[in-house]
Amino acid sequence: MCRVVDLQQAVLAKNDACAHTLREDLAARGTAVVNLLSSPGSGKTALLERELTLARSRDIPVAALTADLATENDAVRLARSGVPVKQVLTDGLCHLEAEMLGGHLHGWLPADTRLLFIENVGNLVCPASYDLGETLRIVLASVTEGEDKPLKYPTAFGLAHLVVVTKTDIAEAVSFDEAEFRANVERINPGVEVVLTSARRGEGDGVLVDRALAARDGAPVHIPVMTRKSHHVHDADDGQPHDEGHHHGEGHSHHEGHHHRDHPHASRAQDGGPAHTTGSGTVASSRS
């Protein structure tokens, strides 16, 4: 058992080191990275498509990378916004890692990109433990998922710089208790901002873009209590005021039924596969 724990810690330590380097490199080129985490079906693709479209209408150089176990469906949807989009197929791996991300960005990310949105694999367990060198970590939850979601997934919500509630247009129909949800978020991550959105109605339009631009330009970013307890808060010498190494306090064992072919989490940073174009947005399919 001790050897398993030591191995997990070594994998996470390697990832944190890669994330630190990636964060510095992207900050030096003026790119802010937003890591979006949620359960499957939360509506993050629909929300992200609206945000990318809005950013393009405002002439903000933006790009998006979306990760899934299979299919290019999300990349095709996001490419309708007209911005550069890349699909990463993880072939069963339940999360992205910093080294993997860096490999996919190399040679693809446009040099003038100000905002890069990462749509992580739909999962609130595995991705929560892996820092991707992000400027902002945003966790989304739909009104259909229940008010106790933050309590069930404390690492995901506890490390968030922003929490977004989606599908508010059906909140009344599913008896969503906003006050209870906010109270549960506050228990896990005191002081974090919670915003309401509806891709269908346009509620909260621009919130992801505005928060990311503000962070890129040096606005203070919420530092979660869980991060402070981990003693991995770096001194923001690269202009990013959040944690360098995320807290892994839940003993992330990955025994969730997910497929890890080359455990422990062998990096899949090689870029390959065909690229195709939808509208003016490039969708590059990469099998890791």
Side-chain angles (χ1 to χ4, degrees):
M1 180 62 183
C2 290
R3 293 182 62 186
V4 173
V5 173
D6 289 344
L7 183 59
Q8 291 167 359
Q9 291 176 343
V11 169
L12 293 172
K14 177 184 177 182
N15 183 81
D16 284 349
C18 290
H20 177 69
T21 299
L22 186 59
R23 177 178 290 115
E24 288 188 328
D25 290 346
L26 290 169
R29 59 185 285 172
T31 302
V33 180
V34 181
N35 184 9
L36 300 175
L37 280 68
S38 79
S39 301
S42 68
K44 67 177 178 293
T45 305
L47 179 62
L48 181 54
E49 183 182 352
R50 290 186 67 94
E51 294 290 312
L52 296 176
T53 302
L54 176 63
R56 185 167 182 263
S57 72
R58 292 166 56 183
D59 294 323
I60 300 169
V62 61
L65 182 147
T66 180
D68 272 308
L69 278 65
T71 82
E72 299 178 11
N73 295 348
D74 287 354
V76 171
R77 289 176 60 187
L78 295 179
R80 294 185 306 204
S81 66
V83 310
V85 174
K86 186 172 189 178
Q87 177 77 58
V88 174
L89 299 180
T90 66
D91 291 332
L93 192 66
C94 63
H95 61 276
L96 286 173
E97 298 176 8
E99 185 175 11
M100 181 195 310
L101 175 61
H104 285 298
L105 296 182
H106 182 70
W108 168 75
L109 187 67
D112 66 342
T113 303
R114 293 177 63 193
L115 302 180
L116 171 63
F117 287 93
I118 306 296
E119 185 180 15
N120 217 316
V121 179
N123 180 350
L124 285 176
V125 180
C126 305
S129 293
Y130 286 84
D131 183 1
L132 298 182
E134 62 260 25
T135 310
L136 287 178
R137 174 176 289 207
I138 299 178
V139 176
L140 300 87
S142 72
V143 298
T144 61
E145 296 178 63
E147 295 81 2
D148 61 348
K149 203 75 169 185
L151 305 181
K152 290 182 176 180
Y153 299 93
T155 297
F157 284 88
L159 290 172
H161 302 113
L162 177 69
V163 174
V164 173
V165 179
T166 61
K167 304 184 182 182
T168 56
D169 52 292
I170 59 172
E172 184 176 354
V174 298
S175 301
F176 177 69
D177 189 330
E178 180 186 341
E180 182 180 348
F181 179 84
R182 287 181 178 274
N184 288 334
V185 170
E186 185 69 14
R187 286 177 60 186
I188 299 300
N189 192 346
V192 70
E193 182 183 11
V194 178
V195 297
L196 307 181
T197 66
S198 167
R200 179 176 296 177
R201 292 181 177 174
E203 180 182 4
D205 272 3
V207 64
L208 303 186
V209 170
D210 290 343
R211 297 299 189 279
L213 285 175
R216 176 189 178 276
D217 294 338
V221 173
H222 170 73
I223 301 178
V225 170
M226 187 178 290
T227 298
R228 294 197 291 265
K229 288 181 178 179
S230 74
H231 302 294
H232 287 301
V233 179
H234 68 74
D235 56 10
D237 56 356
D238 59 1
Q240 308 303 328
H242 62 292
D243 57 293
E244 174 182 334
H246 290 296
H247 177 65
H248 311 291
E250 290 191 354
H252 188 55
S253 62
H254 294 291
H255 295 297
E256 303 291 332
H258 300 294
H259 178 206
H260 304 277
R261 288 191 310 265
D262 306 311
H263 193 75
H265 315 296
S267 174
R268 296 159 175 79
Q270 294 301 316
D271 197 358
H276 58 87
T277 300
T278 303
S280 59
T282 298
V283 182
S285 174
S286 300
R287 291 187 180 274
S288 303

